[in-house]
Amino acid sequence: MARPNKRTTLREVAEATGLSTAAVSYALRGKQVSKETEERVRKAAAELGYEADPIARALASGRTSMVGVLAGDLQDLWQQQLMAAIGRELLASDHYALILDAGGDPERELALAKQLRDQRVDALLVSPVNPSEEGWAAIADALPVVAVGDSLSRARTAGQVIFDNRAGIDAVLEYLHGLGHRRVTVLTPTRPSTPGRPADVYVREAAGRLGLWVELVPCPQELGEATAVARRVLDGDWSATAVFCFSDSLAYGVYGAAAEASLEVGRDVSVVGFDDHPVSRVLTPPLTTVDWGLAEIAVEAARLTVAAIEGKRVRRKRILCAPRMSERGSAVRV
Amino acid sequence: MARPNKRTTLREVAEATGLSTAAVSYALRGKQVSKETEERVRKAAAELGYEADPIARALASGRTSMVGVLAGDLQDLWQQQLMAAIGRELLASDHYALILDAGGDPERELALAKQLRDQRVDALLVSPVNPSEEGWAAIADALPVVAVGDSLSRARTAGQVIFDNRAGIDAVLEYLHGLGHRRVTVLTPTRPSTPGRPADVYVREAAGRLGLWVELVPCPQELGEATAVARRVLDGDWSATAVFCFSDSLAYGVYGAAAEASLEVGRDVSVVGFDDHPVSRVLTPPLTTVDWGLAEIAVEAARLTVAAIEGKRVRRKRILCAPRMSERGSAVRV
DNA sequence: GACATCTTGTTAACCGCTTAAGTTAACCGC
DNA sequence: GCGGTTAACTTAAGCGGTTAACAAGATGTC
């Protein structure tokens, strides 16, 4: 015995109005019927407390009004923030966000994408994709995929909101260079296994150009582990003068480790982040970081996604986010 | 023309094996069929790349394998953290979390709950409910509701994970009292309109008992606004010596405002939080706060929810979370 | 050997809605 | 007054599964 709570069905409304179910269906979606019939139907529906069953509707129409949202790593506080914003935006457009966390694992990411596709979401909104994977083709084949992030995921996407990572990285390294730093440790959120990320490449290029010595250190986004890694970096014979973190979360780890080591950020160590999470502003010293405009990103991502669902051939729109340095107190002249 | 990507259907598997769709349906769920038939069906299904359509299944079976998760206010960083954890846990039990954010508005919360019910989620997992509402009855009537938080939401829930807020509040105020504080400002995350929250009552009771002067100040969870409120509190003729924040997010706002006012937290101002968000540990000074054990909360909440879905009459299980003070550097003797 | 009992399948009726195609009657120009 | 539209519905065929009810051969019992 299933739940005995019967909702009123379309048929009941039809019977109540003496119309066919089809007529009612049309009427409720404002199609094909006379103004007065529509009125009559609406009234009856309201009286009976009718609410269309989304499941049945999905089965018949093929659309679920759900968007699969894939976060690269929800340990990253900024991504939590982004997901919250995206959820809000999608809801505002009458879509539900099914948020899944890949936990920084590219393979898991792809697996979850498949799961979401199988779950019949209308579209996929993917945060930082690992572009190496070509299993994505099979997915982009089945539904529109919108990418947000530095993702290279090309062609197949129905839209992209891209961070100009190269520009951001250049800006930060030039900034540090301008402050006199010559040796910089870069904390990247990547697992060691992931090869040749474009971001790494950009760092090396910029460093080469500026004559900077850089050291790339992979680091988990989880704050406890990030602190541990930072501790190891700062301890003993650390020969650099600045730490550039690929996410503000990682920078927080550096703050923690620095405090433990009695180093003062913004005096003994310079730190730069990469997201502009709200917390960065209230730290002491406030974190110098790169602002990508989270709010607009969420809005644009949601917009592109909804457009893609509605079949608007948006000529594969690409939105480019420019980096804005938020210069605060954590990086200083050396 | 809808998407032309046909998935393989049950019928195709049936034809391929020469069985009826019913037999295949049973076979794939390991019921009623001989071991060898099951094997044959599985093989065929695998070859054809068959994957049951969750929508069709939901329509027929009445279960969507989706859980509606209602966050009280996702501006609160700790709640973001909690939602991420709950999403993970639910996924581990083969359920998808449909996370919606009430943004601190009790009415919106109820409206979203209705939306989720109409969306046919199998169960509702509600974070901080406003218990005054009795529209909840209609919802709890239609599906199992699991509550997590200080929620009073009674009877109708299928399970609860409760924070012993009274104990937490007592612990904090006693702690502050022990440090010599006699005048405490309390930042509450509530909109001014919300009347008589139990938390407020607990504060007044404890304050009365301890002979503490307290001032309750409502404050938005959004960090920028929280900072603004904190600024106003600390400015000029602030006569208290400590700020007790009902969420770590709010405490971060105090850190920000204090820095602006050149007050040093842990020297000029004592601050206590209430969540133990990871960031609290890396602040300078690290935030003294109350740890509720987020990880276990997520696990228990997910467990209760899944149990409720599976119809286990869990005798309305209630899990009580005890507060654990994380004494760090932000509150000092005065 | 007759009858009850499993086992393993099959048939077909839904689940509640959408939508292509068909029907009817009113309306139109000429 | 006749073919051609058009507006407003109705019919009915799905969408892709689940599941109660029934069938028939295999097995068991005495």
Side-chain angles (χ1 to χ4, degrees):
Chain A
M1 184 199 69
R3 203 173 308 292
N5 300 59
K6 303 298 285 181
R7 316 164 34 129
T8 35
T9 78
L10 194 64
R11 186 192 326 283
E12 292 172 319
V13 179
E15 277 162 10
T17 53
L19 290 168
S20 68
T21 64
V24 175
S25 173
Y26 286 131
L28 290 175
R29 282 171 305 142
K31 293 185 170 181
Q32 274 214 24
V33 294
S34 70
K35 217 55 188 139
E36 43 187 43
T37 305
E38 178 172 338
E39 196 44 50
R40 196 153 52 90
V41 170
R42 281 198 194 294
K43 187 149 158 285
E47 273 170 9
L48 296 172
Y50 172 75
E51 200 73 49
D53 184 335
I55 303 296
R57 179 177 298 216
L59 183 57
S61 70
R63 298 173 57 177
T64 58
S65 79
M66 294 196 310
V67 174
V69 184
L70 210 37
D73 190 348
L74 274 190
Q75 301 272 24
D76 177 6
L77 301 182
W78 189 78
Q79 289 191 47
Q80 292 184 2
Q81 202 82 347
L82 181 62
M83 292 302 127
I86 286 179
R88 258 201 313 279
E89 293 303 327
L90 284 176
L91 188 60
S93 313
D94 285 318
H95 289 272
Y96 295 89
L98 215 51
I99 302 172
L100 262 39
D101 174 19
D105 180 346
E107 287 166 37
R108 184 165 165 72
E109 188 169 51
L110 191 59
L112 292 178
K114 292 208 180 100
Q115 239 180 94
L116 284 168
R117 175 200 55 188
D118 293 341
Q119 190 64 19
R120 294 246 129 157
V121 296
D122 290 340
L124 219 49
L125 183 43
V126 191
S127 189
V129 187
N130 181 291
S132 71
E133 290 294 354
E134 270 321 325
W136 284 101
I139 288 168
D141 235 49
L143 38 57
V145 175
V146 173
V148 29
D150 68 330
S151 159
L152 293 192
S153 81
R154 76 214 76 259
R156 298 311 251 284
T157 58
Q160 308 184 70
V161 182
I162 308 191
F163 307 166
D164 190 345
N165 255 338
R166 184 194 291 275
I169 288 170
D170 284 356
V172 170
L173 289 180
E174 279 164 18
Y175 174 71
L176 285 174
H177 183 265
L179 288 176
H181 294 272
R182 291 300 175 266
R183 302 178 67 83
V184 177
T185 297
V186 181
L187 252 44
T188 75
T190 325
R191 23 181 58 199
S193 59
T194 317
R197 298 176 69 239
D200 294 2
V201 174
Y202 300 157
V203 169
R204 295 203 188 284
E205 280 180 15
R209 183 155 33 79
L210 297 167
L212 237 47
W213 174 92
V214 292
E215 157 197 45
L216 291 165
V217 180
C219 181
Q221 298 270 14
E222 196 276 321
L223 207 29
E225 300 179 55
T227 306
V229 169
R231 194 156 25 204
R232 234 170 295 133
V233 165
L234 296 182
D235 242 25
D237 43 26
W238 183 54
S239 64
T241 54
V243 184
F244 169 24
C245 304
F246 265 23
S247 82
D248 281 15
S249 284
L250 298 181
Y252 303 160
V254 176
Y255 271 66
E260 288 173 14
S262 299
L263 296 174
E264 194 175 303
V265 172
R267 195 192 60 190
D268 309 318
V269 196
S270 282
V271 180
V272 179
F274 211 53
D275 297 326
D276 203 8
H277 185 279
V279 161
S280 300
R281 197 177 290 267
V282 302
L283 294 176
T284 32
L287 177 67
T288 293
T289 187
V290 175
D291 178 15
W292 298 97
L294 183 141
E296 302 93 63
I297 291 173
V299 171
E300 290 301 337
R303 218 174 45 71
L304 283 181
T305 307
V306 172
I309 291 174
E310 266 147 30
K312 309 232 173 77
R313 273 274 151 268
V314 204
R315 209 174 295 112
R316 210 163 278 152
K317 195 144 178 188
R318 239 177 108 111
I319 310 240
L320 196 66
C321 298
R324 290 185 287 271
M325 286 278 305
S326 290
E327 203 177 326
R328 301 202 264 252
S330 64
V332 291
R333 180 162 298 282
V334 71
Chain B
M1 185 198 72
R3 204 172 306 292
N5 301 59
K6 303 297 286 181
R7 317 167 29 131
T8 34
T9 79
L10 194 65
R11 187 192 323 286
E12 293 172 317
V13 179
E15 277 161 10
T17 53
L19 290 169
S20 68
T21 64
V24 175
S25 174
Y26 286 132
L28 290 174
R29 283 171 303 141
K31 293 185 170 179
Q32 272 212 28
V33 294
S34 70
K35 218 52 186 140
E36 44 187 42
T37 305
E38 178 172 340
E39 195 44 50
R40 194 153 54 93
V41 171
R42 281 199 194 294
K43 189 150 156 284
E47 274 168 11
L48 295 172
Y50 172 76
E51 201 73 50
D53 184 334
I55 304 297
R57 176 171 291 185
L59 183 57
S61 71
R63 298 173 57 177
T64 58
S65 77
M66 294 194 311
V67 174
V69 184
L70 209 37
D73 190 348
L74 274 190
Q75 303 270 25
D76 177 6
L77 301 182
W78 188 79
Q79 288 190 48
Q80 292 184 1
Q81 202 83 345
L82 181 63
M83 290 303 127
I86 286 179
R88 259 200 313 280
E89 293 302 327
L90 284 176
L91 188 60
S93 313
D94 286 318
H95 289 271
Y96 295 89
L98 215 51
I99 302 172
L100 263 39
D101 174 18
D105 180 345
E107 285 167 37
R108 183 164 166 70
E109 187 167 53
L110 191 59
L112 291 178
K114 291 207 180 101
Q115 241 181 91
L116 284 168
R117 175 200 56 187
D118 292 341
Q119 190 63 18
R120 294 243 129 162
V121 296
D122 291 339
L124 219 49
L125 183 42
V126 191
S127 188
V129 187
N130 182 290
S132 70
E133 291 294 353
E134 268 322 322
W136 284 100
I139 288 167
D141 235 48
L143 39 58
V145 175
V146 173
V148 30
D150 67 329
S151 155
L152 293 193
S153 82
R154 76 216 75 257
R156 298 312 249 283
T157 58
Q160 308 185 70
V161 182
I162 308 190
F163 307 165
D164 190 345
N165 255 339
R166 183 194 292 272
I169 288 169
D170 285 357
V172 169
L173 291 180
E174 280 164 18
Y175 173 70
L176 286 173
H177 183 265
L179 288 176
H181 295 271
R182 291 298 176 266
R183 301 178 69 83
V184 178
T185 297
V186 181
L187 253 44
T188 75
T190 323
R191 24 182 58 198
S193 58
T194 317
R197 297 177 71 239
D200 293 3
V201 175
Y202 300 157
V203 168
R204 296 202 187 285
E205 281 180 14
R209 183 155 34 79
L210 296 166
L212 239 46
W213 174 92
V214 292
E215 158 196 44
L216 291 164
V217 180
C219 182
Q221 297 270 14
E222 196 276 321
L223 208 28
E225 300 179 56
T227 307
V229 169
R231 196 158 22 210
R232 234 170 296 133
V233 165
L234 295 182
D235 243 26
D237 43 26
W238 183 53
S239 65
T241 54
V243 185
F244 170 24
C245 304
F246 265 22
S247 82
D248 281 15
S249 283
L250 299 181
Y252 302 160
V254 176
Y255 271 65
E260 289 172 16
S262 300
L263 295 174
E264 194 174 303
V265 172
R267 195 192 59 190
D268 309 318
V269 197
S270 282
V271 181
V272 179
F274 212 52
D275 298 327
D276 203 8
H277 185 279
V279 161
S280 300
R281 197 179 288 268
V282 302
L283 294 175
T284 33
L287 177 66
T288 293
T289 186
V290 175
D291 177 14
W292 298 97
L294 182 141
E296 303 91 62
I297 291 172
V299 170
E300 290 302 337
R303 216 175 48 70
L304 283 182
T305 307
V306 172
I309 290 174
E310 269 151 25
K312 309 234 172 77
R313 275 273 151 270
V314 203
R315 208 174 295 114
R316 211 163 277 153
K317 195 145 178 186
R318 239 177 108 111
I319 310 239
L320 197 65
C321 298
R324 290 184 288 270
M325 286 277 306
S326 290
E327 203 177 326
R328 299 203 266 252
S330 64
V332 291
R333 180 163 298 282
V334 72

